[in-house]
Amino acid sequence: MTSHPPLTVRTATGLTRVVCLSGALGPDTCPGLERELRQYLDEVGRHEQQLVLDLADVQSLSIAACQTLRHATDHLAHSPVLVVGAGPAVRAVLEHRKLPGVRLHDTLADALAALPDAVSDTTAQRAARHSHETDGLRDEVFGLRARARTRTLIGVAQGILLARYGLPGPDASFTLLREASQPHNVPLGVLASAVVSAPPPQSDARWFTGRSTHMSPPATGFLQRYGIDAHDRRQVLATALHEAANILSDAKAAELHLTDPAQNDALVLEQQLALDSAYRDQATLVTGPLTCAPARSENASA
């Protein structure tokens, strides 16, 4: 049975295609990795695009996987694949192997700046085009990373629902999650966390033990002032953040995190005001000693 690498592909601009890899790329991922890389290299060649590999979410890169990358890209020494976001350990492997068809860059901006100009234009025009492409490409990649962070959690919740309710397949369990999330505007990742962290059934007769009844949401004054439905989770959190920002009138940006018991009480960014995309990418899931981490250490919300 052939293993498939954790690989996501999206055309981010007309000139580039980004391939986001995640997890540990070991020997078992090599067959699928080489097959899919060659497929996308053929496609970008036909469309005169540039392939960019984003390795920000790759925890480890085996020598076998590095050799697979060499086999797929050796012929591209004249126009190498651009690699961005590699962590120190992954970057060390790539630099040691000296792949002629791969060129390492620290950031997407550096990678795009290395692309040849498609047409002759002025320096100002090139700078404006690269800036626009960099912003668009960065936002696309950040979006892919955000979806990748919740994909595993949603998959676990699908498996729980599939097993408990005898559903016909993963599509049915995903549909159940999606339909359950919509009435109260609850993100899929939040609902999946609730499914994963709920106590297991004590018997075949009961599933979510003790969760058959729910307390009414609190009648807070600021929700009444804004005319917000207290059952709508997203609106409640957004309004709470706006209210806090109004109280701190000199605040130029704000963020609201909640702890997630299904992810070892990590801090999850639920709402934000005026945060740039790079900061949001770093603060979406806080598991380490960042600025907002003290709340996590107390198992509290921030």
Side-chain angles (χ1 to χ4, degrees):
M1 182 175 179
T2 302
S3 298
H4 294 278
L7 185 144
T8 307
V9 179
R10 183 160 184 174
T11 303
T13 72
L15 299 178
T16 56
R17 180 168 297 193
V18 178
V19 176
C20 297
L21 292 91
S22 61
L25 300 185
D28 58 321
T29 67
C30 291
L33 179 62
E34 181 165 14
R35 182 179 61 255
E36 296 195 41
L37 278 178
R38 289 190 184 279
Q39 173 189 338
Y40 291 113
L41 283 168
D42 289 343
E43 289 185 9
V44 297
R46 289 195 302 271
H47 294 91
E48 297 184 350
Q49 294 175 321
Q50 176 71 50
L51 186 65
V52 179
L53 294 182
D54 175 41
L55 306 187
D57 290 327
V58 173
Q59 284 81 47
S60 62
L61 181 70
S62 68
I63 294 176
C66 194
Q67 191 65 22
T68 295
L69 187 58
R70 173 186 288 274
H71 289 160
T73 62
D74 258 358
H75 64 290
L76 297 173
H78 64 287
S79 180
V81 171
L82 307 181
V83 171
V84 300
V90 174
R91 189 181 185 102
V93 173
L94 292 171
E95 290 177 340
H96 178 71
R97 305 300 293 184
K98 294 182 173 61
L99 307 185
V102 168
R103 183 175 299 161
L104 294 171
H105 295 278
D106 292 330
T107 66
L108 288 169
D110 293 338
L112 288 177
L115 294 176
D117 293 332
V119 295
S120 177
D121 54 10
T122 66
T123 301
Q125 288 172 327
R126 287 198 301 272
R129 187 181 71 249
H130 287 156
S131 176
H132 176 74
E133 290 185 352
T134 298
D135 291 343
L137 188 54
R138 181 174 56 238
D139 290 344
E140 293 282 0
V141 171
F142 289 163
L144 287 170
R145 290 182 191 169
R147 286 188 287 276
R149 291 185 184 105
T150 60
R151 183 171 53 200
T152 299
L153 188 62
I154 292 173
V156 173
Q158 285 180 259
I160 292 174
L161 296 176
L162 188 68
R164 176 59 189 172
Y165 296 114
L167 300 176
D171 289 345
S173 56
F174 182 80
T175 299
L176 182 60
L177 283 170
R178 184 182 60 204
E179 292 178 351
S181 73
Q182 291 174 348
H184 298 309
N185 204 8
V186 177
L188 271 178
V190 173
L191 182 59
S193 175
V195 172
V196 171
S197 59
Q202 297 178 356
S203 69
D204 291 339
R206 296 288 300 276
W207 179 225
F208 294 122
T209 305
R211 296 171 65 91
S212 58
T213 59
H214 301 274
M215 295 178 58
S216 299
T220 53
F222 77 90
L223 292 180
Q224 296 174 355
R225 288 200 305 274
Y226 286 96
I228 298 299
D229 179 4
H231 293 86
D232 191 317
R233 181 182 185 279
R234 194 187 298 270
Q235 286 193 32
V236 169
L237 294 178
T239 305
L241 188 61
H242 277 280
E243 183 80 351
N246 287 337
I247 294 173
L248 301 172
S249 56
D250 59 341
K252 295 181 174 58
E255 58 191 290
L256 186 151
H257 288 79
L258 298 178
T259 56
D260 186 356
Q263 301 187 73
N264 195 30
D265 290 323
L267 287 172
V268 178
L269 180 64
E270 295 280 355
Q271 293 289 336
Q272 60 84 25
L273 291 173
L275 300 182
D276 62 45
S277 57
Y279 183 88
R280 292 199 305 271
D281 180 59
Q282 294 297 317
T284 295
L285 185 67
V286 180
T287 59
L290 299 183
T291 304
C292 51
R296 176 178 180 267
S297 65
E298 300 171 3
N299 192 21
S301 300

